Amino acid sequence: MIETKTESIEDFPTTEDFLNTHINHKLVTGVEDIVRAAAAAEITPRFRQLAADEIEEKSAPHDLVTVADKRAEEYLTRELAALLPGSVVVGEEAVAADPGSYEALQGTAPVWIVDPVDGTRQFVHGDPGFCTLVALALDGVVLASWTYAPALDEMAVAVRGRGARLNGEVLHAGPPAPGTDLRVATSHPDFTTDEQKRSLLGLRTDGVAPRPCGSAGLEYLGIARGTVDAIAFGWELAWDHAAGILLVEEAGGAHPRRKRAAVHGGAGRGHHPARGGIAGRLTRTAESSGGPAYPVLGVAIG
């Protein structure tokens, strides 16, 4: 689950030292190069070229994995571990094969959190709305993140305390435009329980324009760049959220229940970021439907 563990990074002196000594220009650009190379070698050549036997179901017909997911994760695991000796990797496909490997999030080593193809369904259907997500965490604190959409040629990078950039340009979400409906991306119906569906019905009200989400990573990027006002997700797998939460925070975003992103193993209530101080409002709106608490994971505050 991703949640706030402390109010200030100073509470983690080893983490602060690591941020200052290891997360430098060489490492940040090195990860960018690795992510781009993984996509160029294993993802882009298979985009709109997948054979039927290169697509598999995992937990359900809508939960897909492809040869691109697996091979890109293998590439990233090898190269990221070599870039930062002593680090470990928690990747979506490795955890699917060995659920116990998720516990590395609670260890003491620096951990790379990897989703090789976020938006596999979009990738399979030939939709360019997919991305590769990488985050680097230590002692439960997400320190840097990379969001790369190869089909869109977009690379977003965030480093704790140093801001967020998209293709080199500073990201700042800003507040929602006055008098417009709030644009809210929500968990896709295929990935929600009946209780969560009832809760999300509370967002179908005047002034709110909810829609099912696409790639979680690109929805977070939407908040950071100001094209999405909020997101409401009901699952907390680290690879879907670690990179995006930091990206939103460093672009000026917030979360109604967390002052800063941390990550550790588990699953929980969900995520709700948003723009312009609207997260609490949207959470209350969803809860008014009589469903369970369903937070607004990305809130961008101008």
Coordinates of all heavy atoms in Angstrom, one line a residue, residues 145-221:
S145 N 11.1 9.2 -10.0 CA 10.2 8.4 -10.8 C 10.3 8.8 -12.3 O 10.7 9.9 -12.6 CB 8.7 8.5 -10.4 OG 8.2 9.8 -10.8
W146 N 10.1 7.8 -13.1 CA 10.1 8.0 -14.6 C 8.9 7.4 -15.2 O 8.5 6.2 -14.9 CB 11.4 7.2 -15.1 CG 12.7 7.8 -14.6 CD1 13.5 8.6 -15.3 CD2 13.3 7.5 -13.4 NE1 14.6 8.9 -14.5 CE2 14.5 8.2 -13.3 CE3 12.9 6.7 -12.2 CZ2 15.4 8.2 -12.2 CZ3 13.8 6.7 -11.2 CH2 15.0 7.4 -11.1
T147 N 8.2 8.2 -16.0 CA 7.0 7.7 -16.8 C 7.3 8.0 -18.2 O 7.5 9.1 -18.7 CB 5.8 8.6 -16.3 OG1 5.6 8.4 -14.9 CG2 4.6 8.2 -17.1
Y148 N 7.3 6.9 -19.0 CA 7.7 7.0 -20.4 C 6.6 6.4 -21.3 O 6.3 5.2 -21.2 CB 9.0 6.3 -20.7 CG 9.5 6.3 -22.1 CD1 9.5 7.5 -22.8 CD2 9.9 5.2 -22.8 CE1 9.9 7.6 -24.1 CE2 10.3 5.2 -24.1 CZ 10.4 6.4 -24.8 OH 10.8 6.5 -26.1
A149 N 6.1 7.2 -22.2 CA 5.1 6.8 -23.1 C 5.7 6.7 -24.5 O 5.8 7.7 -25.2 CB 3.9 7.7 -23.2
P150 N 6.2 5.5 -24.9 CA 7.0 5.5 -26.2 C 6.3 5.8 -27.4 O 6.8 6.5 -28.3 CB 7.6 4.0 -26.2 CG 6.6 3.3 -25.3 CD 6.2 4.2 -24.2
A151 N 5.0 5.4 -27.5 CA 4.2 5.7 -28.7 C 3.8 7.2 -28.8 O 3.5 7.7 -29.9 CB 2.9 4.9 -28.7
L152 N 3.9 7.9 -27.7 CA 3.6 9.3 -27.6 C 4.9 10.2 -27.6 O 4.8 11.4 -27.6 CB 2.7 9.7 -26.4 CG 1.4 8.9 -26.4 CD1 0.7 9.2 -25.1 CD2 0.5 9.2 -27.6
D153 N 6.0 9.5 -27.4 CA 7.3 10.2 -27.3 C 7.3 11.2 -26.1 O 7.7 12.4 -26.2 CB 7.7 10.9 -28.6 CG 9.2 11.4 -28.6 OD1 10.0 10.7 -27.9 OD2 9.5 12.4 -29.3
E154 N 6.9 10.7 -25.0 CA 6.8 11.6 -23.8 C 7.5 10.9 -22.6 O 7.3 9.7 -22.3 CB 5.4 11.9 -23.4 CG 4.6 12.7 -24.4 CD 3.2 13.1 -23.9 OE1 2.6 12.3 -23.2 OE2 2.7 14.1 -24.4
M155 N 8.4 11.6 -22.0 CA 9.2 11.2 -20.8 C 9.0 12.2 -19.7 O 9.4 13.3 -19.8 CB 10.6 11.0 -21.1 CG 11.5 10.7 -19.9 SD 11.3 9.0 -19.2 CE 12.3 8.1 -20.4
A156 N 8.4 11.7 -18.6 CA 8.2 12.6 -17.4 C 9.1 12.1 -16.3 O 9.1 10.9 -16.0 CB 6.7 12.6 -17.0
V157 N 9.8 13.0 -15.7 CA 10.7 12.6 -14.6 C 10.5 13.5 -13.4 O 10.3 14.7 -13.5 CB 12.2 12.8 -15.0 CG1 13.2 12.4 -13.9 CG2 12.5 11.9 -16.3
A158 N 10.4 12.9 -12.2 CA 10.3 13.6 -11.0 C 11.3 13.1 -10.0 O 11.6 11.9 -9.9 CB 8.9 13.4 -10.4
V159 N 11.9 14.1 -9.2 CA 12.8 13.8 -8.1 C 12.3 14.5 -6.9 O 12.0 15.7 -7.0 CB 14.2 14.2 -8.5 CG1 15.2 13.9 -7.3 CG2 14.7 13.5 -9.7
R160 N 12.3 13.8 -5.8 CA 11.7 14.4 -4.6 C 12.4 15.7 -4.2 O 13.7 15.8 -4.1 CB 11.8 13.4 -3.4 CG 11.3 14.0 -2.1 CD 11.0 12.9 -1.1 NE 10.0 12.0 -1.6 CZ 8.7 12.2 -1.7 NH1 8.2 13.4 -1.3 NH2 7.8 11.3 -2.1
G161 N 11.6 16.8 -4.1 CA 12.2 18.1 -3.7 C 12.8 18.9 -4.8 O 13.2 20.0 -4.6
R162 N 12.8 18.3 -6.0 CA 13.4 19.0 -7.2 C 12.5 19.2 -8.3 O 12.9 19.7 -9.4 CB 14.6 18.2 -7.7 CG 15.7 17.9 -6.6 CD 16.8 17.1 -7.1 NE 17.5 16.4 -6.0 CZ 18.4 15.5 -6.2 NH1 18.7 15.0 -7.4 NH2 19.1 14.9 -5.2
G163 N 11.2 18.9 -8.2 CA 10.2 19.2 -9.2 C 10.0 18.0 -10.2 O 10.6 17.0 -10.1
A164 N 9.2 18.3 -11.2 CA 8.8 17.3 -12.2 C 8.9 18.0 -13.6 O 8.6 19.2 -13.7 CB 7.4 16.8 -12.0
R165 N 9.4 17.2 -14.5 CA 9.5 17.7 -15.9 C 8.9 16.7 -16.9 O 9.0 15.5 -16.7 CB 11.0 18.0 -16.2 CG 11.6 19.1 -15.4 CD 13.1 19.3 -15.7 NE 13.6 20.4 -15.0 CZ 13.6 21.7 -15.4 NH1 13.2 22.0 -16.6 NH2 14.1 22.7 -14.6
L166 N 8.4 17.2 -18.0 CA 8.0 16.4 -19.1 C 8.7 16.8 -20.3 O 8.7 18.0 -20.8 CB 6.5 16.6 -19.3 CG 5.9 16.0 -20.6 CD1 6.0 14.4 -20.5 CD2 4.4 16.4 -20.8
N167 N 9.5 15.9 -20.9 CA 10.4 16.2 -22.0 C 11.2 17.4 -21.8 O 11.4 18.3 -22.6 CB 9.6 16.4 -23.3 CG 9.0 15.0 -23.8 OD1 9.4 14.0 -23.3 ND2 8.0 15.1 -24.7
G168 N 11.7 17.6 -20.5 CA 12.6 18.7 -20.1 C 11.9 19.9 -19.7 O 12.6 20.8 -19.1
E169 N 10.6 20.0 -19.9 CA 9.9 21.2 -19.5 C 9.2 21.0 -18.1 O 8.7 20.0 -17.8 CB 8.8 21.6 -20.5 CG 9.3 21.8 -21.9 CD 10.2 23.1 -22.0 OE1 9.9 24.1 -21.2 OE2 11.2 23.1 -22.7
V170 N 9.3 22.1 -17.3 CA 8.7 22.0 -15.9 C 7.2 21.7 -16.0 O 6.5 22.4 -16.7 CB 9.0 23.3 -15.1 CG1 8.3 23.3 -13.8 CG2 10.5 23.5 -14.9
L171 N 6.8 20.8 -15.1 CA 5.3 20.5 -15.0 C 4.8 21.3 -13.8 O 5.3 21.3 -12.7 CB 5.1 19.0 -14.8 CG 5.2 18.1 -16.0 CD1 5.3 16.6 -15.6 CD2 4.0 18.3 -17.0
H172 N 3.6 21.9 -14.1 CA 2.9 22.5 -13.0 C 1.4 22.4 -13.3 O 0.9 23.0 -14.3 CB 3.3 24.0 -12.8 CG 2.5 24.7 -11.7 ND1 2.7 24.3 -10.4 CD2 1.6 25.6 -11.7 CE1 1.9 25.0 -9.6 NE2 1.2 25.8 -10.4
A173 N 0.7 21.7 -12.5 CA -0.7 21.4 -12.8 C -1.6 22.7 -12.8 O -2.4 22.9 -13.7 CB -1.3 20.4 -11.9
G174 N -1.5 23.5 -11.8 CA -2.4 24.6 -11.6 C -3.8 24.2 -11.2 O -4.1 23.0 -11.2
P175 N -4.6 25.2 -10.8 CA -5.9 24.9 -10.3 C -6.9 24.6 -11.5 O -6.6 25.0 -12.7 CB -6.4 26.1 -9.6 CG -5.6 27.2 -10.4 CD -4.3 26.6 -10.7
P176 N -8.0 23.9 -11.3 CA -9.0 23.7 -12.3 C -9.5 25.0 -12.8 O -9.6 26.0 -12.1 CB -10.1 22.9 -11.6 CG -9.4 22.3 -10.4 CD -8.4 23.3 -10.0
A177 N -10.0 25.1 -14.1 CA -10.5 26.3 -14.6 C -11.9 26.6 -13.9 O -12.7 25.7 -13.7 CB -10.8 26.1 -16.1
P178 N -12.1 27.8 -13.5 CA -13.4 28.2 -12.8 C -14.6 27.9 -13.7 O -14.5 28.1 -14.9 CB -13.2 29.7 -12.5 CG -11.7 29.9 -12.6 CD -11.2 29.0 -13.6
G179 N -15.6 27.4 -13.1 CA -16.9 27.2 -13.8 C -16.9 26.0 -14.7 O -17.9 25.8 -15.4
T180 N -15.9 25.2 -14.7 CA -15.9 24.0 -15.6 C -16.1 22.7 -14.7 O -15.8 22.7 -13.5 CB -14.6 23.8 -16.3 OG1 -13.5 23.7 -15.4 CG2 -14.4 25.1 -17.2
D181 N -16.7 21.7 -15.3 CA -16.8 20.4 -14.6 C -15.4 19.8 -14.3 O -14.5 20.0 -15.1 CB -17.6 19.4 -15.5 CG -19.0 19.7 -15.6 OD1 -19.5 20.6 -14.9 OD2 -19.7 19.1 -16.5
L182 N -15.3 19.2 -13.1 CA -14.1 18.6 -12.8 C -13.9 17.3 -13.5 O -14.8 16.4 -13.5 CB -14.1 18.3 -11.2 CG -14.2 19.6 -10.4 CD1 -14.3 19.2 -8.9 CD2 -13.0 20.5 -10.6
R183 N -12.8 17.1 -14.2 CA -12.5 15.9 -15.0 C -11.8 14.9 -14.1 O -10.7 15.1 -13.6 CB -11.6 16.3 -16.1 CG -12.2 17.4 -17.1 CD -11.1 18.0 -17.9 NE -10.2 18.8 -17.0 CZ -9.1 19.5 -17.5 NH1 -8.9 19.5 -18.8 NH2 -8.4 20.2 -16.6
V184 N -12.6 13.8 -13.8 CA -12.1 12.8 -12.9 C -12.0 11.4 -13.5 O -13.0 11.0 -14.1 CB -13.1 12.7 -11.7 CG1 -12.6 11.7 -10.6 CG2 -13.3 14.1 -11.0
A185 N -10.8 10.8 -13.5 CA -10.6 9.5 -14.0 C -10.8 8.5 -12.9 O -10.2 8.7 -11.8 CB -9.3 9.3 -14.6
T186 N -11.6 7.5 -13.0 CA -11.9 6.5 -12.0 C -11.5 5.1 -12.4 O -11.3 4.8 -13.5 CB -13.4 6.5 -11.6 OG1 -14.1 6.0 -12.7 CG2 -13.9 7.9 -11.3
S187 N -11.3 4.3 -11.4 CA -11.0 2.9 -11.6 C -12.0 2.3 -12.7 O -13.2 2.6 -12.7 CB -11.2 2.0 -10.4 OG -10.2 2.4 -9.4
H188 N -11.4 1.6 -13.6 CA -12.3 1.0 -14.7 C -13.2 0.0 -14.1 O -12.9 -0.7 -13.2 CB -11.4 0.3 -15.7 CG -12.1 0.0 -17.0 ND1 -12.9 -1.1 -17.1 CD2 -12.1 0.6 -18.2 CE1 -13.4 -1.1 -18.4 NE2 -12.9 -0.1 -19.0
P189 N -14.5 -0.1 -14.6 CA -15.5 -1.0 -14.0 C -15.0 -2.5 -14.0 O -15.4 -3.2 -13.1 CB -16.7 -0.9 -15.0 CG -16.6 0.5 -15.5 CD -15.1 0.8 -15.6
D190 N -14.1 -2.8 -14.9 CA -13.6 -4.2 -14.9 C -12.7 -4.5 -13.7 O -12.4 -5.7 -13.4 CB -12.8 -4.5 -16.2 CG -13.6 -4.6 -17.4 OD1 -14.8 -4.8 -17.2 OD2 -13.1 -4.5 -18.5
F191 N -12.2 -3.4 -13.0 CA -11.3 -3.6 -11.9 C -11.9 -3.1 -10.6 O -11.2 -2.8 -9.6 CB -10.0 -2.9 -12.2 CG -9.3 -3.4 -13.3 CD1 -9.4 -2.9 -14.6 CD2 -8.4 -4.5 -13.2 CE1 -8.8 -3.4 -15.7 CE2 -7.7 -5.0 -14.3 CZ -7.9 -4.5 -15.6
T192 N -13.2 -3.0 -10.5 CA -13.8 -2.5 -9.2 C -14.8 -3.5 -8.7 O -15.5 -4.3 -9.4 CB -14.6 -1.2 -9.5 OG1 -15.5 -1.3 -10.6 CG2 -13.6 0.0 -9.8
T193 N -15.0 -3.5 -7.3 CA -15.9 -4.4 -6.7 C -17.3 -3.7 -6.8 O -17.4 -2.5 -7.1 CB -15.6 -4.6 -5.2 OG1 -15.6 -3.3 -4.5 CG2 -14.1 -5.1 -5.1
D194 N -18.3 -4.4 -6.4 CA -19.7 -3.8 -6.3 C -19.7 -2.7 -5.4 O -20.4 -1.6 -5.7 CB -20.7 -4.9 -6.0 CG -20.9 -5.9 -7.1 OD1 -20.6 -5.6 -8.2 OD2 -21.5 -7.0 -6.7
E195 N -19.1 -2.8 -4.2 CA -19.1 -1.7 -3.3 C -18.4 -0.4 -3.9 O -18.9 0.7 -3.7 CB -18.3 -2.1 -2.0 CG -19.1 -2.9 -1.0 CD -18.4 -3.0 0.3 OE1 -17.2 -3.1 0.3 OE2 -19.1 -3.0 1.3
Q196 N -17.3 -0.6 -4.5 CA -16.6 0.5 -5.1 C -17.4 1.1 -6.3 O -17.5 2.4 -6.4 CB -15.2 0.0 -5.7 CG -14.3 -0.3 -4.6 CD -13.0 -1.0 -5.1 OE1 -13.0 -1.6 -6.2 NE2 -12.0 -1.1 -4.3
K197 N -18.1 0.3 -7.0 CA -19.0 0.9 -8.1 C -20.1 1.8 -7.4 O -20.4 2.8 -7.9 CB -19.7 -0.3 -8.9 CG -18.7 -1.0 -9.8 CD -19.5 -2.0 -10.6 CE -18.6 -2.7 -11.7 NZ -17.5 -3.5 -11.1
R198 N -20.7 1.3 -6.3 CA -21.7 2.1 -5.6 C -21.1 3.4 -5.1 O -21.7 4.5 -5.2 CB -22.3 1.3 -4.5 CG -23.2 0.2 -4.9 CD -24.1 -0.3 -3.7 NE -23.3 -0.9 -2.7 CZ -22.9 -2.1 -2.7 NH1 -23.3 -3.0 -3.6 NH2 -22.2 -2.6 -1.7
S199 N -19.9 3.4 -4.6 CA -19.2 4.6 -4.1 C -19.0 5.6 -5.2 O -19.2 6.7 -5.1 CB -17.9 4.2 -3.4 OG -17.3 5.3 -2.9
L200 N -18.5 5.0 -6.4 CA -18.2 5.9 -7.5 C -19.4 6.6 -8.1 O -19.3 7.6 -8.7 CB -17.4 5.1 -8.6 CG -16.0 4.8 -8.2 CD1 -15.4 3.8 -9.2 CD2 -15.1 6.0 -8.0
L201 N -20.6 6.0 -7.9 CA -21.8 6.6 -8.4 C -22.0 8.0 -7.7 O -22.7 8.9 -8.3 CB -23.0 5.7 -8.0 CG -23.2 4.5 -8.9 CD1 -24.3 3.6 -8.4 CD2 -23.4 4.8 -10.4
G202 N -21.4 8.2 -6.5 CA -21.5 9.5 -5.9 C -20.8 10.6 -6.7 O -21.1 11.8 -6.5
L203 N -19.9 10.3 -7.6 CA -19.3 11.3 -8.4 C -20.1 11.7 -9.6 O -19.8 12.7 -10.3 CB -17.9 10.8 -8.9 CG -16.9 10.4 -7.8 CD1 -15.6 9.8 -8.5 CD2 -16.5 11.7 -7.0
R204 N -21.2 11.0 -9.8 CA -22.1 11.4 -11.0 C -23.1 12.5 -10.5 O -24.2 12.2 -10.2 CB -22.8 10.2 -11.5 CG -21.8 9.2 -12.1 CD -22.5 8.1 -12.8 NE -21.5 7.2 -13.4 CZ -20.8 7.4 -14.5 NH1 -21.0 8.5 -15.2 NH2 -19.9 6.5 -14.9
T205 N -22.5 13.7 -10.4 CA -23.3 14.8 -9.8 C -22.9 16.1 -10.6 O -21.9 16.1 -11.3 CB -23.0 14.9 -8.3 OG1 -23.9 15.9 -7.8 CG2 -21.6 15.3 -8.1
D206 N -23.7 17.1 -10.4 CA -23.4 18.4 -11.1 C -22.0 18.8 -10.8 O -21.5 18.8 -9.6 CB -24.4 19.5 -10.7 CG -25.8 19.2 -11.2 OD1 -25.9 18.3 -12.1 OD2 -26.7 19.8 -10.7
G207 N -21.3 19.3 -11.8 CA -19.9 19.8 -11.6 C -18.8 18.8 -11.6 O -17.6 19.2 -11.5
V208 N -19.1 17.5 -11.8 CA -18.1 16.5 -11.9 C -18.4 15.7 -13.1 O -19.5 15.3 -13.4 CB -18.2 15.6 -10.6 CG1 -17.1 14.5 -10.7 CG2 -18.0 16.4 -9.3
A209 N -17.3 15.4 -13.9 CA -17.4 14.6 -15.1 C -16.5 13.4 -15.0 O -15.3 13.4 -15.4 CB -17.0 15.5 -16.3
P210 N -17.0 12.3 -14.3 CA -16.1 11.1 -14.2 C -16.1 10.3 -15.5 O -17.0 10.3 -16.3 CB -16.8 10.4 -13.1 CG -18.3 10.7 -13.2 CD -18.3 12.2 -13.7
R211 N -15.0 9.5 -15.6 CA -14.9 8.6 -16.7 C -14.0 7.5 -16.3 O -13.1 7.7 -15.4 CB -14.3 9.3 -18.0 CG -12.9 9.9 -17.7 CD -12.2 10.2 -19.0 NE -10.9 10.9 -18.8 CZ -9.8 10.3 -18.4 NH1 -9.8 9.0 -18.3 NH2 -8.7 10.9 -18.2
P212 N -14.1 6.3 -16.9 CA -13.1 5.2 -16.6 C -11.7 5.6 -17.0 O -11.5 6.2 -18.0 CB -13.7 4.0 -17.4 CG -15.1 4.4 -17.7 CD -15.1 5.9 -17.8
C213 N -10.8 5.1 -16.2 CA -9.4 5.5 -16.5 C -8.8 4.6 -17.6 O -9.3 3.6 -17.9 CB -8.5 5.4 -15.2 SG -8.2 3.6 -14.7
G214 N -7.7 5.1 -18.2 CA -6.9 4.3 -19.0 C -5.7 3.9 -18.2 O -5.8 3.3 -17.1
S215 N -4.5 4.0 -18.8 CA -3.3 3.7 -18.1 C -3.2 4.6 -16.8 O -3.3 5.8 -16.9 CB -2.1 4.0 -19.0 OG -0.9 4.3 -18.3
A216 N -3.0 4.0 -15.7 CA -2.8 4.7 -14.4 C -1.7 5.7 -14.5 O -1.8 6.9 -14.1 CB -2.6 3.8 -13.2
G217 N -0.6 5.3 -15.1 CA 0.6 6.2 -15.2 C 0.3 7.5 -16.0 O 0.7 8.6 -15.6
L218 N -0.5 7.3 -17.1 CA -0.8 8.5 -17.9 C -1.9 9.3 -17.3 O -2.0 10.5 -17.6 CB -1.2 8.0 -19.3 CG 0.0 7.3 -20.1 CD1 -0.5 7.0 -21.5 CD2 1.2 8.2 -20.1
E219 N -2.7 8.7 -16.5 CA -3.7 9.6 -15.7 C -3.0 10.5 -14.7 O -3.3 11.6 -14.6 CB -4.8 8.7 -15.0 CG -5.6 7.8 -16.0 CD -6.5 8.5 -16.9 OE1 -6.5 9.8 -16.9 OE2 -7.3 7.9 -17.6
Y220 N -2.0 9.9 -14.0 CA -1.2 10.7 -13.1 C -0.5 11.8 -13.9 O -0.5 13.0 -13.4 CB -0.2 9.9 -12.4 CG -0.7 9.1 -11.2 CD1 -0.8 7.7 -11.3 CD2 -1.1 9.7 -10.0 CE1 -1.3 7.0 -10.2 CE2 -1.5 9.0 -9.0 CZ -1.7 7.6 -9.1 OH -2.1 6.9 -8.0
L221 N 0.0 11.5 -15.0 CA 0.7 12.5 -15.9 C -0.4 13.6 -16.3 O 0.0 14.8 -16.3 CB 1.3 11.9 -17.1 CG 2.0 12.9 -18.1 CD1 3.0 13.7 -17.4 CD2 2.6 12.1 -19.3

